[in-house]
Amino acid sequence: EMTSSLVGSEMCIRDRVWNIVNTYDSEVRNISDRLSFEKMLLWVNTRGMVMNKEIRSDKRIKNIIGIIQSCLILILIFLIVFMIIQINRLQGTARVINYAGLVRGATQREVKLEITGNQKDELIKYLDNILSGLRYQEGQYDLVKIHDKEYQDKLRIQSEYWEKLKTEIGEVRSKGYQNTDIVNMSEIYFEMADETVFAAENYSEKIAIKIRTIEFLSALDMFCLVILIIMQTLTAMKMAMNNKLLEQKAYTDAHTGLPNKDACELLLNTPEKVKESTACMMFDLNNLKIVNDTMGHSAGDRLIMDFAQLLRSVIPEKNFVGRYGGDEFMAVIYHTSKTEVEELLKSLYREKDRLNSNENQIQIDYACGWAFPDEDGAYTMQMLLDKADVYMYENKQLCKKRKI
């Protein structure tokens, strides 16, 4: 979403720059300055084409990253669910191993009791219940079924031999253990039980290996997700930087470095009323056409640059100074008074005279008008500029009369 927003913003900026052409191009009176402006437009067009390619490339990368990210998330979910299942199986297997070991030990105890003449039918029933629980998950012990062929085969053989061992126990009770094969059969049964426990432990180790493998794959999956998130963040930062660069170019005059007409219009179109402590100034170079005609357009360009530097060097940085048209400039002075504005204009005249005293300096001559909001009037910035423009025009006419 962030990338889409940045892309949309860039397209709007480029469209806004092209809108300047229709308005600004007609007002550029200096041919050399027009060429400079056209260079800026050429840059914007070229940069826009490059940006479009970058945007399409970034979109493809974004889509690919999104698909990979979705797949990784699904894989991670599957791995987590699978690991939970394996952990549950491991816990159930541990319980099975414990009871399989109890069968092995309890059977040996039962045989010893029978040999000594102590009959324990309760112990035989206990062993029957455990074996039934191990094979069929029946009874009160809540034993799980181990899905391993080797274990199931060992358990089946053990259970079948247990039935034979019980028959032999009956023979012991009726004939005495000396006349039976109970000792040898108990040893065989012990080995069978031991093999069953060993098979269950092998199965448990297989599950543990699966869990460790799943943990590794999950960690790798999460690492890849983190890398993708970092890539997305870097892509968004790159788009933001490109957007900021393009926006700066769109609002900056290519020749003077000051805010351009579009930036001025943005300021003028604010609907808020201007505070009483705000002044608006309008400047117009009186001698640009004369300089172009007599000294060449490169000299006219230099004059425009010198005047822009003059304004920016005298007017405090906190205030707005912009190039409104070909030879027109505007300034907005915040938190000021009429006395301070008059002092600022005097400083401009003094600095202008100082620059003009230089032999190599192209003479700067300008008309100026400024306006303050009336105490009883509600002015927008555009209204205040219009008022300053009227005073500037009157000052320009006065300058022409003085020359005559």
Side-chain angles (χ1 to χ4, degrees), residues 189-200:
Y189 184 79
F190 182 86
E191 291 178 1
M192 289 181 176
D194 197 50
E195 290 177 359
T196 303
V197 172
F198 183 72

Side-chain angles (χ1 to χ4, degrees), residues 22-225:
N22 297 327
T23 304
Y24 186 62
D25 186 64
S26 62
E27 298 181 5
V28 178
R29 289 188 280 270
N30 186 17
I31 296 176
S32 181
D33 186 52
R34 182 191 298 271
L35 294 175
S36 176
F37 183 68
E38 288 174 352
K39 289 179 181 178
M40 182 191 73
L41 295 179
L42 180 60
W43 179 91
V44 171
N45 184 45
T46 305
R47 181 61 179 160
M49 293 172 65
V50 173
M51 289 293 293
N52 280 336
K53 291 181 180 178
E54 291 180 354
I55 289 168
R56 287 194 293 269
S57 176
D58 288 339
K59 277 185 175 180
R60 285 194 295 270
I61 294 173
K62 180 188 173 185
N63 292 335
I64 293 171
I65 290 176
I67 293 171
I68 296 173
Q69 193 174 36
S70 299
C71 292
L72 288 174
I73 290 173
L74 290 174
I75 292 171
L76 183 61
I77 292 172
F78 171 77
L79 289 173
I80 291 173
V81 173
F82 189 61
M83 184 166 61
I84 291 173
I85 294 172
Q86 296 303 315
I87 290 173
N88 289 333
R89 285 182 178 177
L90 184 62
Q91 292 172 343
T93 304
R95 189 174 177 83
V96 167
I97 292 172
N98 182 46
Y99 275 91
L102 286 175
V103 169
R104 181 176 55 186
T107 303
Q108 292 300 304
R109 181 168 175 265
E110 168 61 22
V111 170
K112 290 177 182 179
L113 289 173
E114 294 294 338
I115 289 174
T116 57
N118 296 312
Q119 299 180 5
K120 284 287 185 177
D121 291 332
E122 297 84 1
L123 185 54
I124 293 175
K125 184 177 181 182
Y126 171 72
L127 291 169
D128 283 337
N129 289 337
I130 293 177
L131 286 170
S132 177
L134 290 171
R135 290 198 67 183
Y136 308 111
Q137 293 74 54
E138 297 175 349
Q140 59 187 3
Y141 303 108
D142 194 24
L143 299 173
V144 299
K145 183 177 181 179
I146 294 181
H147 300 277
D148 182 75
K149 187 177 185 303
E150 181 185 4
Y151 167 78
Q152 292 296 334
D153 289 342
K154 298 291 184 182
L155 181 60
R156 177 180 55 79
I157 294 171
Q158 180 186 344
S159 299
E160 292 173 354
Y161 200 81
W162 167 245
E163 296 299 325
K164 295 178 182 180
L165 188 59
K166 285 195 297 182
T167 302
E168 195 68 15
I169 289 173
E171 292 295 324
V172 170
R173 290 179 180 181
S174 62
K175 298 178 182 180
Y177 83 92
Q178 296 88 350
N179 300 316
T180 63
D181 196 26
I182 188 68
V183 176
N184 183 52
M185 290 182 68
S186 67
E187 291 297 328
I188 294 173
Y189 184 79
F190 182 86
E191 291 178 1
M192 289 181 176
D194 197 50
E195 290 177 359
T196 303
V197 172
F198 183 72
E201 289 174 344
N202 280 342
Y203 178 75
S204 178
E205 181 60 27
K206 291 178 184 177
I207 294 177
I209 292 173
K210 285 183 181 179
I211 292 174
R212 287 194 293 270
T213 304
I214 293 170
E215 288 176 346
F216 172 76
L217 293 175
S218 299
L220 182 62
D221 189 288
M222 287 187 285
F223 176 76
C224 293
L225 284 173

Side-chain angles (χ1 to χ4, degrees), residues 2 14 35 38 51 89 97 156 171 174 196 198 205 234 237 241 247 256 336 340 348 350-351 398:
M2 182 183 295
R14 194 156 62 91
L35 294 175
E38 288 174 352
M51 289 293 293
R89 285 182 178 177
I97 292 172
R156 177 180 55 79
E171 292 295 324
S174 62
T196 303
F198 183 72
E205 181 60 27
L234 292 176
M237 290 174 62
M241 290 176 63
E247 187 172 0
T256 64
T336 188
E340 290 179 354
L348 276 172
R350 285 195 296 269
E351 183 64 16
L398 183 61

Side-chain angles (χ1 to χ4, degrees), residues 181-365:
D181 196 26
I182 188 68
V183 176
N184 183 52
M185 290 182 68
S186 67
E187 291 297 328
I188 294 173
Y189 184 79
F190 182 86
E191 291 178 1
M192 289 181 176
D194 197 50
E195 290 177 359
T196 303
V197 172
F198 183 72
E201 289 174 344
N202 280 342
Y203 178 75
S204 178
E205 181 60 27
K206 291 178 184 177
I207 294 177
I209 292 173
K210 285 183 181 179
I211 292 174
R212 287 194 293 270
T213 304
I214 293 170
E215 288 176 346
F216 172 76
L217 293 175
S218 299
L220 182 62
D221 189 288
M222 287 187 285
F223 176 76
C224 293
L225 284 173
V226 170
I227 294 298
L228 289 177
I229 292 172
I230 292 173
M231 289 177 62
Q232 285 181 322
T233 303
L234 292 176
T235 301
M237 290 174 62
K238 176 186 173 184
M239 294 292 291
M241 290 176 63
N242 288 337
N243 181 59
K244 186 177 181 180
L245 177 63
L246 193 59
E247 187 172 0
Q248 287 176 347
K249 292 290 183 179
Y251 283 115
T252 302
D253 180 67
H255 186 56
T256 64
L258 295 176
N260 59 14
K261 183 177 178 66
D262 204 35
C264 295
E265 292 290 350
L266 191 65
L267 177 64
L268 295 172
N269 289 333
T270 53
E272 291 82 6
K273 302 301 180 182
V274 178
K275 295 181 179 179
E276 294 182 2
S277 59
T278 301
C280 188
M281 297 180 177
M282 194 70 178
F283 301 91
D284 185 275
L285 284 170
N286 291 329
N287 57 332
L288 179 61
K289 187 176 185 305
I290 297 173
V291 170
N292 283 332
D293 293 342
T294 59
M295 303 176 68
H297 294 104
S298 60
D301 289 342
R302 181 180 165 190
L303 175 61
I304 292 172
M305 178 64 72
D306 289 345
F307 185 63
Q309 292 176 348
L310 169 65
L311 292 176
R312 192 65 279 179
S313 64
V314 175
I315 298 175
E317 193 68 30
K318 65 179 181 179
N319 302 307
F320 177 86
V321 177
R323 187 181 180 189
Y324 189 65
D327 55 2
E328 293 181 337
F329 295 81
M330 65 171 286
V332 179
I333 314 300
Y334 301 100
H335 309 294
T336 188
S337 63
K338 291 183 179 181
T339 302
E340 290 179 354
V341 172
E342 289 171 352
E343 288 297 322
L344 185 62
L345 289 174
K346 289 178 182 178
S347 298
L348 276 172
Y349 277 113
R350 285 195 296 269
E351 183 64 16
K352 178 202 74 171
D353 292 338
R354 187 188 70 79
L355 291 173
N356 287 341
S357 64
N358 191 326
E359 293 182 359
N360 296 324
Q361 173 65 41
I362 300 173
Q363 296 298 297
I364 299 175
D365 183 24

